[in-house]
Amino acid sequence: MTHTSTPAGPVPAAPPAAPEAAGRRLDWGLAAVLVLAAFLLFYNLGQRPFWQDEAETACLAKNVLVHGLPYSFDGLNVVSQEEEREFDKVGGYLWRWSPWMQIYLQAAGFAVGGLDAAAGRVPFALAALVAVYWLYRLTRRHFGDRDLALLAAILLTTCVPFLLIGRQARYYAPGTLFVLWTLDAFLSDWQRKTLPLLAMFAGMALLFHANYLLFLSFAPTALAAAFLVYPEKFHWKRLGWLVAATIALVMVPGILLYRIGSQSGMFDVLLVPENLMLYFADLCMFCLPLPVSVYLVWRWRRFALRGERPADPAERFALFAAVLIVFSLLFLGLVPQRFFRYIAHLLPLCAFLLAFCVRRLWNFSRLSAVLLFFLLAATNWLAVYPMERLKIVNRPWQNDFRMLTSNNFPLKLFVTELVCGYPDVNAAIVGFFTANAKPGQTIVAEYGDLPLQFALSGVRVLGGLQGPVPEGVKPDWVLRRRVVRVNRDRFLFGTREFTDSLNFERDYERVPVPFPDETFGNRTDDPNHHYFIAVEPPQKDLEIWRRREGAS
């Protein structure tokens, strides 16, 4: 496999590929990929109910349909997972904790399709589908290589972690799309033309209002990576105007609206080493297999040692993507909370890197390229097996050998879930209380309170991560969960303290519910925890208590 480098310093940009006449005709390969992606993203989209985080967005979206703004209180129930830090009660319970875009997207889905899980997820699945197309468009438009573009789109479509986050009613898929939008504009002639410059600004603004943590982890790291890999693309005057406009028109109003400064106290420097280690494990397990990363480091060693940049435009962008991924992980290591969803917007860049490796290998050995493509698109063997051998696999204790944390055929697991269904714990909880709870009653739920708030009408639902249960509450129903939760200060959540204080033997009777008490249900934002096939017994059953008649 050959490698062409140029000396350090400004390098003339390669001229864009001449547009092909065939490029204006229907690309049947792309059409087939988009049809497959649409099936995988939209089929049985409402199969599982909203889990806790999705339900948070859904409850706020319901209030948007009524009031036009995302209020956290509907007159009966309060939406909170941060012990009521997300709003000011004196300000009418207006949501101020996170950006509103995902709330309004979900409200739009509800307005068109009704208040159900499928309708609420459609705008986000559509964003994921457009992201597949945009990755193809970016690659073919700027590098003129249809095969590379198709490979990248296929590898993103068959990436099960991407499909999981794309089917979720949260900011993950829109954020991913806006990253691609911004990079597409950056590769265009923004130094001389106004439209690409405006497109970059719009991409930054949309990304901020999708999730400001994604914006903060992407904007400065992308700028640093571009400075190292594309120094010739900088037009400092235009860049200055872009940065100034983004700060003045996007960041400052957003900081005031979302009260970003109030969350800065969660920083803990002691968590940084662990966060970096876990992000590295997640990257290797689900995004970019370790052997591929090692090869890329070796291939671009001259860049690391002497600043030599590849002359080929596609390889230059691949190098940029790799540097951006590394810088993003280093930035995210500073953030106290660590979740896979914070790196989900990097999945298209990982797909491009994998496609680049397959495309280059094709020029050296077609049989080897086909084998590599099969391993990357159909299995997770290259991702999991090396990590196991090196004993650095990030496998949770509740791992099952039919999850993505073990050697598997991920797409087979994913399609099995789509076609055969899954007995989701939130479906069992919502189904039980829909059938048994009556309007005017009160439920205290240790977790899963927000799916109940979304699904039930006229029932007061307390608990979860809302904070202490108000004094004097005598719940008609109590939902105990097997996982004991602590807050950010490592203190027991108020709901568990409340349920521990109840006299269950005297005042309540347990209702048999022969359904496993899984922790999250449809937690698709973390491939470490997603179940595709139900786990066999023994498992702890849900613990639901009903207040006895005449109890004090």
Side-chain angles (χ1 to χ4, degrees):
M1 193 177 297
T2 60
H3 177 80
T4 305
S5 300
T6 58
V11 180
E20 305 174 23
R24 293 189 291 267
R25 299 195 299 266
L26 177 63
D27 186 328
W28 290 102
L30 173 62
V33 172
L34 292 179
V35 168
L36 175 62
F39 168 76
L40 296 173
L41 288 167
F42 287 94
Y43 181 75
N44 246 343
L45 194 55
Q47 177 188 65
R48 291 192 182 198
F50 295 131
W51 75 286
Q52 183 82 349
D53 284 9
E54 279 186 300
E56 173 191 275
T57 312
C59 290
L60 295 170
K62 280 178 63 177
N63 292 341
V64 164
L65 295 179
V66 176
H67 304 289
L69 289 172
Y71 289 105
S72 304
F73 184 58
D74 62 2
L76 182 62
N77 290 310
V78 174
V79 179
S80 175
Q81 295 195 81
E82 294 288 346
E83 299 177 294
E84 301 191 352
R85 295 185 181 95
E86 303 99 325
F87 47 80
D88 292 320
K89 293 183 180 180
V90 296
Y93 290 84
L94 183 66
W95 185 262
R96 303 281 293 277
W97 185 260
S98 57
W100 293 356
M101 179 182 291
Q102 64 183 0
I103 301 170
Y104 281 93
L105 283 174
Q106 197 164 21
F110 289 155
V112 174
L115 294 174
D116 62 53
R121 291 179 178 136
V122 162
F124 303 88
L126 182 60
L129 180 63
V130 176
V132 173
Y133 166 74
W134 212 289
L135 178 61
Y136 172 92
R137 176 184 183 273
L138 180 154
T139 305
R140 189 168 187 185
R141 176 188 177 197
H142 295 288
F143 312 124
D145 190 335
R146 175 181 178 273
D147 293 336
L148 179 62
L150 275 180
L151 283 172
I154 292 170
L155 288 170
L156 185 61
T157 297
T158 57
C159 176
V160 170
F162 172 76
L163 296 173
L164 292 176
I165 65 106
R167 289 171 61 91
Q168 188 141 154
R170 296 283 282 177
Y171 60 83
Y172 321 134
T176 301
L177 175 60
F178 300 145
V179 164
L180 289 171
W181 174 333
T182 305
L183 293 178
D184 188 13
F186 171 76
L187 292 174
S188 303
D189 191 10
W190 63 273
Q191 300 92 338
R192 294 181 299 173
K193 298 180 180 178
T194 301
L195 189 59
L197 184 66
L198 293 177
M200 287 176 63
F201 172 77
M204 290 288 93
L206 291 169
L207 185 60
F208 184 93
H209 288 288
N211 184 272
Y212 52 73
L213 179 58
L214 293 190
F215 170 86
L216 294 174
S217 68
F218 172 76
T221 56
L223 185 63
F227 180 77
L228 291 176
V229 181
Y230 288 110
E232 76 284 356
K233 280 188 172 292
F234 280 80
H235 187 292
W236 293 104
K237 183 176 181 181
R238 284 192 163 220
L239 181 63
W241 280 109
L242 176 64
V243 172
T246 303
I247 293 174
L249 301 179
V250 179
M251 293 184 63
V252 172
I255 288 171
L256 297 175
L257 176 62
Y258 304 133
R259 302 189 310 182
I260 297 176
S262 66
Q263 304 180 39
S264 60
M266 295 186 290
F267 174 75
D268 186 349
V269 69
L270 298 178
L271 296 176
V272 174
E274 180 185 9
N275 285 347
L276 290 174
M277 178 188 69
L278 295 177
Y279 274 128
F280 169 75
D282 278 354
L283 181 74
C284 294
M285 287 278 288
F286 307 115
C287 308
L288 202 63
L290 186 59
V292 175
S293 300
V294 171
Y295 161 71
L296 292 174
V297 169
W298 174 254
R299 182 179 181 89
W300 295 325
R301 63 193 182 278
R302 294 186 183 90
F303 170 77
L305 297 175
R306 298 196 291 267
E308 295 182 8
R309 305 174 187 89
D312 175 62
E315 183 167 0
R316 181 87 78 92
F317 183 73
L319 174 61
F320 168 77
V323 175
L324 173 56
I325 290 169
V326 172
F327 285 177
S328 295
L329 295 188
L330 291 175
F331 179 93
L332 289 168
L334 303 175
V335 178
Q337 287 188 303
R338 186 208 65 84
F339 296 108
F340 178 83
R341 58 180 177 248
Y342 294 160
I343 64 172
H345 64 290
L346 302 175
L347 287 171
L349 298 181
C350 294
F352 182 88
L353 285 169
L354 297 177
F356 167 78
C357 292
V358 174
R359 189 75 175 91
R360 289 300 181 267
L361 187 57
W362 178 266
N363 297 332
F364 178 75
S365 169
R366 295 189 175 186
L367 179 61
S368 299
V370 170
L371 178 60
L372 177 61
F373 176 75
F374 170 78
L375 289 173
L376 295 174
T379 80
N380 63 351
W381 301 345
L382 278 181
V384 176
Y385 185 73
M387 301 289 282
E388 289 183 335
R389 297 294 295 177
L390 294 172
K391 301 187 184 303
I392 54 176
V393 62
N394 180 30
R395 176 175 292 142
W397 65 266
Q398 67 270 42
N399 172 75
D400 182 85
F401 288 107
R402 294 166 301 183
M403 296 170 64
L404 295 182
T405 46
S406 293
N407 290 302
N408 271 306
F409 296 92
L411 205 57
K412 179 181 178 182
L413 290 176
F414 182 79
V415 173
T416 298
E417 180 191 341
L418 292 191
V419 175
C420 300
Y422 187 90
D424 188 271
V425 65
N426 291 309
I429 293 171
V430 169
F432 175 86
F433 285 108
T434 299
N436 293 280
K438 300 176 182 178
Q441 291 186 329
T442 298
I443 301 170
V444 169
E446 290 187 347
Y447 195 68
D449 53 304
L450 296 180
L452 289 173
Q453 284 190 21
F454 176 76
L456 302 180
S457 178
V459 178
R460 188 184 186 193
V461 183
L462 301 171
L465 313 181
Q466 298 174 23
V469 176
E471 293 185 10
V473 169
K474 296 180 179 180
D476 302 283
W477 300 90
V478 177
L479 171 62
R480 299 261 289 184
R481 302 300 296 271
R482 65 181 179 87
V483 174
V484 179
R485 300 180 182 279
V486 295
N487 64 12
R488 297 187 186 279
D489 300 317
R490 300 297 187 264
F491 293 123
L492 193 66
F493 264 111
T495 307
R496 172 65 76 159
E497 287 185 316
F498 175 81
T499 59
D500 282 345
S501 71
L502 296 175
N503 190 330
F504 285 99
E505 291 187 1
R506 183 190 67 195
D507 298 331
Y508 290 85
E509 58 181 348
R510 183 168 179 176
V511 180
V513 182
F515 200 93
D517 184 7
E518 291 179 356
T519 304
F520 297 109
N522 184 36
R523 185 183 179 180
T524 57
D525 65 338
D526 191 339
N528 283 293
H529 296 278
H530 188 81
Y531 291 97
F532 300 90
I533 300 173
V535 180
E536 293 88 355
Q539 289 198 78
K540 187 179 185 296
D541 289 341
L542 283 170
E543 186 179 341
I544 298 178
W545 297 82
R546 176 172 51 203
R547 189 171 183 83
R548 299 179 188 273
E549 292 187 13
S552 58

